[in-house]
Amino acid sequence: MLSKKKTLEAIDVMAEMFPNAEGELIHKNSFELLIAVILSAQATDVSVNKITPALFEKFPTPQAFVEAPLEEIENSIRTIGLFRNKAKHIKGCCEMLIRDFNGEVPQTIPELMKLPGVGRKTANVVAGDAFGIPAIAVDTHVERVSKRLRIVKQSASVIEVEKTLMQKIPKERWVDTHHRMIFFGRYHCLARAPKCETCPLLYLCEEGQKRLNVNEKK
């Protein structure tokens, strides 16, 4: 596995490649971000961004979602995968926001995780992007990049990936690192066709070197 020093070296290269990396979900406040992240589970940010402007115009507050029939919420997010479950989660989430948090999005990860439809990844994204709380959200890109670069064990669970990254990366860099790893995975180290030939991290990447050697032998 990469040492702490080599891990930071890799993150620094990603920072040079994507200096302006940030969350790509369109939102105006913490509530909109919360709903957008719930919608983004097993869906692309692009697909979520297509529906949220109209969604938030129609339902600008937790109260608006609570007062709406479930079927109306479903119809508003029908193009998103798992829309029925997500509509239930959103309605339940908004009910809890009003009942337990005075209609405001809580600012701690444990409190965020109490909300329906909010797992650890969603809580970390909202905490980091909405409130600047140090957190690393492990999505499919972060997990893939971490394992390809051998920052973590290949057998590591999502929570183990998160803990290892937190150990190897300074706390003040967690949020930025999360976004840079996502951009690196989304636009360079792709799942099916990673750009190993042009990758500035190839010298650190055991998997990339193996891929190129296999291709050369074909």
Side-chain angles (χ1 to χ4, degrees):
M1 291 203 306
L2 288 190
S3 64
K4 182 175 181 179
K5 181 180 179 181
K6 290 294 184 183
T7 297
L8 290 175
E9 192 174 315
I11 299 302
D12 286 341
V13 171
M14 292 180 208
E16 291 174 4
M17 294 174 71
F18 303 103
N20 300 314
E22 60 183 4
E24 294 188 295
L25 289 169
I26 297 170
H27 63 282
K28 296 175 184 173
N29 51 53
S30 59
F31 173 65
E32 289 189 0
L33 177 61
L34 173 63
I35 301 302
V37 180
I38 291 174
L39 289 171
S40 72
Q42 298 182 51
T44 65
D45 288 358
V46 172
S47 66
V48 173
N49 287 338
K50 285 180 180 177
I51 69 160
T52 46
L55 182 71
F56 294 140
E57 186 174 347
K58 193 172 189 179
F59 308 110
T61 63
Q63 189 67 41
F65 276 111
V66 169
E67 291 174 354
L70 186 61
E71 186 177 359
E72 188 178 353
I73 300 173
E74 289 178 353
N75 287 335
S76 298
I77 64 170
R78 190 171 290 273
T79 59
I80 300 293
L82 306 173
F83 71 91
R84 288 190 176 88
N85 278 339
K86 290 177 181 178
K88 290 177 185 175
H89 287 324
I90 289 169
K91 195 171 178 71
C93 176
C94 290
E95 288 170 350
M96 184 175 282
L97 287 177
I98 291 169
R99 184 180 68 245
D100 298 344
F101 300 104
N102 297 315
E104 300 293 329
V105 177
Q107 297 189 23
T108 70
I109 291 171
E111 286 179 320
L112 283 163
M113 288 179 65
K114 292 178 183 178
L115 299 169
V118 178
R120 187 167 187 86
K121 184 191 80 171
T122 298
N124 283 343
V125 171
V126 175
D129 286 358
F131 304 118
I133 296 168
I136 296 179
V138 179
D139 71 348
T140 180
H141 301 296
V142 173
E143 181 176 8
R144 180 174 69 253
V145 168
S146 296
K147 290 183 176 180
R148 280 185 175 168
L149 284 170
R150 307 295 192 260
I151 295 172
V152 304
K153 295 183 296 183
Q154 297 302 291
S155 60
S157 65
V158 170
I159 190 68
E160 287 171 336
V161 173
E162 181 183 337
K163 287 181 177 178
T164 301
L165 290 172
M166 289 166 70
Q167 289 168 357
K168 291 186 172 182
I169 297 164
K171 195 171 185 177
E172 64 272 13
R173 296 186 62 178
W174 287 355
V175 175
D176 285 342
T177 292
H178 154 72
H179 288 305
R180 283 161 180 163
M181 291 185 79
I182 287 176
F183 269 54
F184 183 72
R186 182 177 287 162
Y187 301 114
H188 187 84
C189 190
L190 287 71
R192 295 184 181 177
K195 301 174 183 178
C196 300
E197 297 88 347
T198 60
C199 186
L201 286 174
L202 183 61
Y203 75 102
L204 284 176
C205 185
E206 183 180 327
E207 181 160 338
Q209 292 167 16
K210 285 181 180 178
R211 281 173 179 268
L212 290 184
N213 286 336
V214 167
N215 289 336
E216 287 172 2
K217 292 174 182 177
K218 286 183 179 178

